[in-house]
Amino acid sequence: MSFLRRLLSGQTDVAPGISSTAPPTNSPPHLPTLPPFQYTPLPSPTTHFRILQLQPTAADLATPWTSIPLRGTLLPCPISSPPAYHALSYCWGDATPADSIIVDGAILRITASCAAALRRMLRGKPRGRKIWVDAICINQADDAGALRERGAQVAMMDRIYRGAEQVDVYVGEGDAGTEVACEAVRRLVKYSVGAAVPGSTGRYFARKYEALAMEVLACTPEYPYGKLHGLFRQPWFGRYWVIQEVALAQNVTFYCGKHLLLLSSIIIATDFSPLSPTLLESNPMAVHWRTYTMYHTSVQAWIRQRENHSATPNVPPPALSQVIIPPALLFEATRPEDKVHALYGICKRLGYDLPVPDYTKSLAIVYTETAQAILRYDGQQGLDQLLESACASPSSRDQGIPSWAPDLSSCIRKWSSANLPNSCMNDRRNTWPSGRGNPGCQFELGTDSSKLRVKGRRLDIVCEPGTPWEIDNAATNIFGRDHAPTGSHIFALMTSLESWFAIVLRSMNAVSASQASTAGLRLAEVLAKDTKGNSSVDDLQELSRYLALAMTIAKRSEDPGRLVLADRTMDPQDYVRHGDNCTLSEAMYMQLGRIMPGMAWKTVFRTAQGFLGVGPYSVAEGDVTVVFQGCSLAGLLRPAGEGYSYVGPAYVLGVMHGEFWEAGEAGDDEWFELV
């Protein structure tokens, strides 16, 4: 099962009863009355940066390290020739200042997480250390001068992290869960390295590695998500800024409680490929854990390949859309414009010239300029990626973001009915509605940069959208939530399935039982095609059977607050629990998993001519279905003045392999202006 499918199924993260320990918030002892710290402007914010020289005193040696008073001085240094220093990577957490540091004889208020990270860096360092930490070394004020400085400093952060001797990642002080996870990492690395030794020694360690890997991956009552979960549920692994901090580092060391882990150790520990294919297939979590650092290490490999002028076959050069769009969905940033600014240095090193970070620009301008850069560098592939990712939402509209430009502030961790998605996530393969032999995408930006003209052909009008499958990602226990999953997404799916099945029946004017059976198969086809694109007839029939069984059981359920979706052929011991009120047999879970995440926050719709499709939750009656020339998915447009608002991508049964395009002619072509 894929990572994203596990992610949306609610089976990926926090174990009940295990919570992430907050960093120590011990304030320093009583301090004399000191003035608040005032930043001195840098000689030049484009050529200089500040380094914090932490300066503990002799008296601090007798103080527990979690309570050491923080003192230091800020050193302005030229970026071209700085002294030796480390750079700190940590999760900001609560932005409310809850602690203090004395800087150059004045008090600077800082967050609890920043203070805890700095104290951890002083542990065992009686002479102090030089360290770069963004919250202190960059003026965080919101006046015009500070904003200009911040933009200039963000633009050179690639040089700051690359110039550091080491990037120190403070994950947190941890708890019993992180202790187990860190120990598991240590042992996995030991056995994995030993297994590579030739001869009997290697075979011995290979056996040890296999037994340990199965133990670590096992989902047990004590460790419902395996033993690595205690580490990867820590907030650092879900943050956006840390991608650049790790990818550009010369060396990376993770600090978690008493443990120090190298990045290379975490990569080895989460790579379970030495297991046999049979064992890998039976342990979906074996793939899941790798995803927490996969993007970071991919970016690192891309940069090193480019800087070393090497041509590594296994590391193809990325498109700009590949660099920008995927992490925006998966990781969080406090400021939405940082979904672009935090990758500025990475993009620069990969040869992409984005506008210099400017915190005085509106979010709409930042995202529009980014979308324009994707079109400029990626061409047809860029248009494809933009239209696959963009999705109409009230928040995007309120911000003034053009409908065709993805709203990168969206993050799947936050999706809920109270926080509607403003991006689309597609997991489909081999769809190409424009058919064979077409000349590729044709598009042009209008004189108004917020408008985009795209060539395509009109297919039909939506006449009935179904009930979207709405998933509250907090309730599904996604990405380290500290409470158990509720199973609400399964209850919501049952409501949506009933709606979708009714739409398919009406599209066929079906009345008999045999027609209903055909409709079930057709529903399975449209759902499976959205995610796979290559399901066999047997696969579709199996999915259809389980969809029908699920709806039948749901309708017959005597307890509306409890749902047991199980085929009688399965041993109850193999059932999968989703919270206290929802249980599925393993076979049912696997079949419903086939439509995750392709249908999350999407719905089935039918058109006036009887086409069936899948579109975003925001699709409405009257939307126009269009096949854009050369694009991988169809699109949904909504009339808006003299142009169209882009609603989102669509999969339409019967047109995804060129049938519609090849049956038409050049006279059917139209230019659609997206606003």
Side-chain angles (χ1 to χ4, degrees), residues 385-439:
Q385 289 298 315
L386 292 180
L387 297 184
E388 280 192 26
S389 305
C391 172
S393 74
S395 62
S396 302
R397 198 163 48 243
D398 293 343
Q399 290 281 357
I401 300 170
S403 63
W404 54 272
D407 184 345
L408 301 172
S409 65
S410 180
C411 177
I412 55 178
R413 304 164 190 268
K414 301 292 187 181
W415 289 357
S416 70
S417 57
N419 188 26
L420 296 174
N422 45 15
S423 291
C424 274
M425 182 170 59
N426 290 291
D427 182 19
R428 54 98 191 104
R429 301 288 184 272
N430 304 323
T431 52
W432 198 255
S434 295
R436 297 178 294 275
N438 77 79

Side-chain angles (χ1 to χ4, degrees), residues 174-426:
D175 53 22
T178 56
E179 188 70 21
V180 169
C182 290
E183 180 62 21
V185 168
R186 185 189 66 79
R187 294 173 62 204
L188 284 167
V189 172
K190 175 183 176 181
Y191 295 157
S192 178
V193 172
V197 176
S200 59
T201 300
R203 290 192 293 273
Y204 166 80
F205 277 106
R207 291 192 296 272
K208 298 279 285 185
Y209 174 80
E210 181 177 301
L212 177 61
M214 299 306 292
E215 173 193 326
V216 168
L217 292 170
C219 297
T220 65
E222 187 177 5
Y223 302 103
Y225 306 105
K227 290 187 174 181
L228 291 181
H229 177 257
L231 176 62
F232 291 107
R233 79 180 195 278
Q234 300 302 311
W236 184 92
F237 290 97
R239 301 302 296 175
Y240 200 85
W241 270 106
V242 303
I243 298 170
Q244 177 172 253
E245 297 164 6
V246 169
L248 295 173
Q250 298 184 52
N251 301 290
V252 183
T253 298
F254 285 76
Y255 292 75
C256 184
K258 68 181 182 182
H259 294 275
L260 271 65
L261 301 172
L262 298 179
L263 174 62
S264 56
S265 296
I266 293 177
I267 293 171
I268 292 172
T270 54
D271 180 8
F272 291 95
S273 59
L275 292 175
S276 68
T278 302
L279 292 178
L280 280 174
E281 290 174 5
S282 65
N283 288 275
M285 299 302 283
V287 177
H288 171 73
W289 298 126
R290 187 71 183 271
T291 63
Y292 281 83
T293 55
M294 183 181 295
Y295 186 79
H296 309 63
T297 53
S298 294
V299 172
Q300 189 179 69
W302 292 335
I303 291 172
R304 289 180 177 176
Q305 178 192 22
R306 180 176 176 84
E307 292 183 344
N308 296 334
H309 304 288
S310 60
T312 307
N314 295 330
V315 189
L320 179 58
S321 55
Q322 214 178 333
V323 178
I324 293 287
I325 295 177
L329 281 170
L330 294 174
F331 301 104
E332 295 180 78
T334 303
R335 299 179 66 113
E337 58 267 50
D338 283 340
K339 288 292 189 81
V340 175
H341 296 338
L343 296 184
Y344 176 82
I346 288 174
C347 292
K348 182 170 62 175
R349 288 182 175 266
L350 291 172
Y352 297 119
D353 184 20
L354 295 182
V356 174
D358 184 347
Y359 286 90
T360 66
K361 289 181 178 178
S362 70
L363 188 64
I365 291 176
V366 173
Y367 285 175
T368 302
E369 289 179 341
T370 303
Q372 291 170 340
I374 288 174
L375 290 175
R376 184 169 69 252
Y377 283 110
D378 295 356
Q380 175 173 324
Q381 180 182 356
L383 177 65
D384 215 14
Q385 289 298 315
L386 292 180
L387 297 184
E388 280 192 26
S389 305
C391 172
S393 74
S395 62
S396 302
R397 198 163 48 243
D398 293 343
Q399 290 281 357
I401 300 170
S403 63
W404 54 272
D407 184 345
L408 301 172
S409 65
S410 180
C411 177
I412 55 178
R413 304 164 190 268
K414 301 292 187 181
W415 289 357
S416 70
S417 57
N419 188 26
L420 296 174
N422 45 15
S423 291
C424 274
M425 182 170 59
N426 290 291

